[in-house]
Structures are given as C-alpha cells and as structure tokens.
Amino acid sequence: MTRTAAPSPATNPAQRFPRSLLLPMMIGCILNPINSSIIAVALIPIGAFFGAPPSQTTWLVSALYVATAIGQPLTGRLVTAIGQPLTGRLVDRYGPKRLFLIGSGLVGIAGVIGMLAPNLWVLVVARVILGFGTCAGYPSAMALIRKVSDRQGIISPAGVLTALTVTTQTISVIGPTLGGVLIDVGGWRATLAINVPLAIAALLLGWFLLPAYADEGTSSGGAGIDWGGIGLFCGMLIALLVFLMNLRMAFAWALVVAIVVGVGFVLRERRTDDPFIDLRMLAGNRPLIATYVRGFAMSTVSYSFLYGVSQWVEEGRGLTPSQTGLMLLPTFGTAIVFS
C-alpha cells in the first residue's frame, strides 16, 4: 500500500489549529510556573509548622528546580545547539500524549503526598516528584503542535504559541497571590492540594481531547539516554546547593565534592557520543554563552526577590501570606510588560 504524504500548508490555506487542544495544553504548561511561584509565600508557614530554619525550607524550592533542570527540555535553537534533556527524549520515544498523561499523574501523586507529609523531607520528596511531573507539560505541548501541524498541513500556529506563553507568564504573576489566598483559607497544605484538581483536569482533558496519534513516538532519537551524565549533573547540583545553603567551613567538603563531580561530568560529556548536555557545542560559541550568562543573572535577581523578599516581609515585617502575595502582584505585572 502506498502512503500518501501529509498535505502541505499551501494546499490547506483554510485549515486552523484545533482549538479543542488548547485547554489541555494550557493546563499542562501552567503546572510548572504555578508550583514555582506559589511556594514563595508558603515557606515561612511551612517552616513554622515543622520548626525548620530557612536553610532547610529552601530545599522545597531547590528540589523542584533540580528536577526541572534534569527533566525540562531546552527549546528552539538551544536543543540543536547543546542537546535535549530527559523529558524531550522521552517525548521522542513514547509520544507527547502518553508523556502528558504520565506527567499529570505524577503531579496528582505529588499533591497527595504534600497534603499528607508528616515532615519537611517528605514534603521535599513531593516537590521532586512535582518537578518531574510538571516537566512534561511544555515539551508535550510543543510536540503536539508540531505533530498536528504536520498532519493537517497547517502553518506554525503563532496564535497558539502566544496563548501558551501569555498563560504561563500570567500564572507566574498570580502564583504568590493565589498561594496567599489558599493559605488563608486552608493552610499551607492547600498550596500542594491544588495540584490534585489540576492533575485530574489535565488527565481528563488530555485523555479525551488530545489526538490518539499523539501517542506515537516521533523518532528513535530518544533511545540513547545518558543516565551516567544525568547522575553526575544531579550530584554536582545537589553538592553545590548543600554548600551554598550552609556557607560555613564545616560544609566546605560539599564544595569540593561539587567541583570533583563537576569535572567528572565535563569529562564524561566530552567523551560521550550522545551526551545529556553537549558541552562541546559551547566551546567558542560566544552568543550562546552570553545568553546563558544573561539568563543566570536575570534568574538570580528575580528569584532572590521572589523568595527572599517574600520571606523577609512575612517574618521580619509581620505580613500575612495573602498580604505578601498582593504586595508582589504589581512587581510581576510590570515584569510581564517588560517581557
């Protein structure tokens, strides 16, 4: 049987991207930014409940970002430049719909664990699971857009991409405010519990609305996963975080471990045919290096403000979580305008 090629965009000028796919993709994409920002106003109440200092509650932030750093794929030209981390490879292997549903399920599991966590470190585990679960939303959406566009012969739907971008930026802005309201109504556990209805909504919408052919893997390129590189990368980050959160000579060993593991990571990635991060492509690539430096500087300032100022005004100035969330709202609204 001879297969017919997918129609080209030129033969289907009236085709539009199916709007029914937009809602599940938007819910999947907001899971990471909402959990990144909503925790900012919950750190002080969580610390007070468990009797934990800021050096320990900060792991609730770091745990999600370490998982995200491992799982969240790079996008656009950065994928081509230095490789595609874990979730992007899994999308290639198993298909975007399946990864979308698995990620949504992990978010729901993390929400339940967070609601029942008996101590801080179980809560940290919940945030790790949450980090991996929320990684699936954005790459699945990008893969779905590509698959649907190719199948139906639609030119890249700029309006859909804009809707996803605006949605994720908006939810980041209202995250602390929403967190403050939830804490006032149901305590800090409500900031974890909100993931349960969000996960259920994502699972139902994804199951019924996402196209069946989205379960197809797009290529065999996801077969080679550099588990050794991932392990070294994770170990380097954790050791560095242990040192940075405890800036005392007693924890200098953690800095030494981070350096040693980091050197091992660089050596492995340079010798691996299909590395987790292709460091060889960074050599001499000044524009790409400058992009990372700018991104690092921007993230340092923005996250220091988000997590540092929110804790200071709650603990030092006596503001409630809801008051803190409202105080942060104009700042992040301004950030959207500048973005």
Side-chain angles (χ1 to χ4, degrees), residues 272-283:
T272 302
D273 292 334
D274 192 12
F276 173 59
I277 298 177
D278 193 350
L279 299 177
R280 292 164 294 195
M281 296 301 295
L282 287 173

Side-chain angles (χ1 to χ4, degrees), residues 158-244:
V160 174
L161 297 174
T162 301
L164 294 178
T165 301
V166 171
T167 300
T168 54
Q169 288 183 341
T170 302
I171 204 68
S172 296
V173 168
I174 67 173
T177 306
L178 175 61
V181 173
L182 289 173
I183 292 171
D184 278 357
V185 173
W188 63 264
R189 291 187 189 272
T191 61
L192 278 299
I194 192 175
N195 287 293
V196 176
L198 285 174
I200 293 173
L203 285 168
L204 292 175
L205 291 171
W207 181 267
F208 288 108
L209 295 182
L210 297 184
Y213 62 76
D215 273 337
E216 301 172 2
T218 58
S219 72
S220 60
I225 296 178
D226 180 18
W227 294 110
I230 291 173
L232 289 171
F233 181 76
C234 182
M236 177 185 66
L237 285 183
I238 292 175
L240 182 60
L241 287 170
V242 168
F243 172 72
L244 292 176

Side-chain angles (χ1 to χ4, degrees), residues 71-299:
Q72 183 71 59
L74 302 168
T75 57
R77 294 181 180 179
L78 294 185
V79 173
T80 305
I82 65 170
Q84 186 186 48
L86 183 59
T87 309
R89 294 178 183 270
L90 294 177
V91 167
D92 283 345
R93 177 185 288 183
Y94 299 111
K97 180 176 180 177
R98 190 174 288 116
L99 258 293
F100 180 92
L101 296 175
I102 292 173
S104 300
L106 287 176
V107 170
I109 292 171
V112 172
I113 295 175
M115 287 191 298
L116 304 175
N119 58 60
L120 179 67
W121 301 112
V122 173
L123 200 59
V124 170
V125 171
R127 292 281 292 178
V128 172
I129 298 172
L130 195 58
F132 283 117
T134 58
C135 281
Y138 186 81
S140 296
M142 294 301 102
L144 280 167
I145 290 173
R146 184 179 67 248
K147 280 177 147 306
V148 172
S149 299
D150 290 345
R151 285 287 186 115
Q152 300 187 12
I154 306 171
I155 298 175
S156 182
V160 174
L161 297 174
T162 301
L164 294 178
T165 301
V166 171
T167 300
T168 54
Q169 288 183 341
T170 302
I171 204 68
S172 296
V173 168
I174 67 173
T177 306
L178 175 61
V181 173
L182 289 173
I183 292 171
D184 278 357
V185 173
W188 63 264
R189 291 187 189 272
T191 61
L192 278 299
I194 192 175
N195 287 293
V196 176
L198 285 174
I200 293 173
L203 285 168
L204 292 175
L205 291 171
W207 181 267
F208 288 108
L209 295 182
L210 297 184
Y213 62 76
D215 273 337
E216 301 172 2
T218 58
S219 72
S220 60
I225 296 178
D226 180 18
W227 294 110
I230 291 173
L232 289 171
F233 181 76
C234 182
M236 177 185 66
L237 285 183
I238 292 175
L240 182 60
L241 287 170
V242 168
F243 172 72
L244 292 176
M245 292 180 190
N246 302 274
L247 289 175
R248 300 191 300 274
M249 285 302 299
F251 286 88
W253 61 267
L255 179 60
V256 175
V257 170
I259 293 172
V260 172
V261 176
V263 170
F265 172 72
V266 171
L267 293 176
R268 177 185 173 83
E269 298 304 275
R270 287 176 62 87
R271 297 174 181 175
T272 302
D273 292 334
D274 192 12
F276 173 59
I277 298 177
D278 193 350
L279 299 177
R280 292 164 294 195
M281 296 301 295
L282 287 173
N285 194 335
R286 292 183 180 180
L288 185 58
I289 293 173
T291 299
Y292 279 116
V293 171
R294 286 194 300 269
F296 177 79
M298 181 193 71
S299 298

